[in-house]
Amino acid sequence: MKISECDILILPGLGGSKPGHWQMRWAERMANAAVVEQADWFEPDLDDWVATIDQAARLTLRPVVLVAHSLAVTAVAHAAPLLPENVRGAFLVAPTDVELSPAAPEETRIFGPIPRDPLPFPSMVVASSNDPYVSLDRAVEFATCWGSDFHQAGEAGHINIDSGHGPWPEGLLMFTRLMQRLRA
């Protein structure tokens, strides 16, 4: 599927994505991308986040591809069984291990337990070997359970502004690889 043939829903994690974050840059550069705004970025409510993702997917008439970062990855795993059939894929970057990571913020714990059911659409999990919020082994476990392709991004931290990921051209190449697998 070509990027121009679908709607890209950008799903930031806890606190939202700051200006300059790769998600915000993608949203600015892709005419068919939109950032899904959560009611509360700092005190997240799992049910609200899931409902917001589901509603955003249902409001589009075209195929949808989700681009989730951090806590939003777990929200997608929770939302997946509810999402409409127009959701064709998900690009899942730097999942937060809300179950086992001692660095995961306390307010993220309500997103546990992390679903382990296969996702009903193709997906790719991208994780780094030195992310403070998820070990590489856990990221691989999530990808395996979800039936996702897995890409190890090297020592890339949490793949955000703080780890030096503004434009993140490598991520765009991985996203393009996922898009090539999707049906229109």
Side-chain angles (χ1 to χ4, degrees):
M1 175 186 313
K2 295 178 182 172
I3 291 174
S4 62
E5 297 173 338
C6 65
D7 289 322
I8 310 292
L9 297 181
I10 308 283
L11 309 173
L14 184 69
S17 290
K18 301 173 189 172
H21 187 287
W22 62 267
Q23 282 189 312
M24 305 316 315
R25 289 171 182 255
W26 290 13
E28 291 165 4
R29 288 184 172 84
M30 295 179 191
N32 54 331
V35 176
V36 175
E37 294 290 336
Q38 295 292 347
D40 192 333
W41 290 113
F42 297 93
E43 295 292 332
D45 179 88
L46 175 60
D47 292 337
D48 284 349
W49 278 42
V50 165
T52 298
I53 294 167
D54 181 50
Q55 180 182 19
R58 290 178 190 282
L59 287 175
T60 180
L61 300 176
R62 299 183 343 142
V64 170
V65 178
L66 307 173
V67 177
H69 180 259
S70 193
L71 186 60
V73 171
T74 305
V76 168
H78 281 284
L82 308 171
L83 294 174
E85 289 184 14
N86 67 325
V87 176
R88 296 300 201 305
F91 188 64
L92 308 169
V93 181
T96 297
D97 186 350
V98 300
E99 296 170 340
L100 299 181
S101 172
E106 189 58 38
E107 55 270 25
T108 67
R109 303 288 179 195
I110 63 165
F111 280 59
I114 298 168
R116 301 300 203 283
D117 296 329
L119 300 179
F121 38 74
S123 59
M124 178 183 288
V125 172
V126 180
S128 126
S129 61
N130 64 340
D131 188 330
Y133 302 112
V134 66
S135 70
L136 201 55
D137 287 345
R138 288 284 283 180
V140 168
E141 176 187 336
F142 300 148
T144 301
C145 291
W146 297 334
S148 304
D149 291 343
F150 180 78
H151 182 85
Q152 206 258 58
E155 292 186 1
H158 196 50
I159 312 177
N160 60 7
I161 291 273
D162 295 338
S163 63
H165 291 84
W168 197 36
E170 302 88 355
L172 196 52
L173 289 172
M174 290 176 243
F175 179 66
T176 301
R177 213 167 59 227
L178 172 67
M179 291 298 298
Q180 291 170 344
R181 292 185 46 220
L182 305 181
R183 60 180 172 80

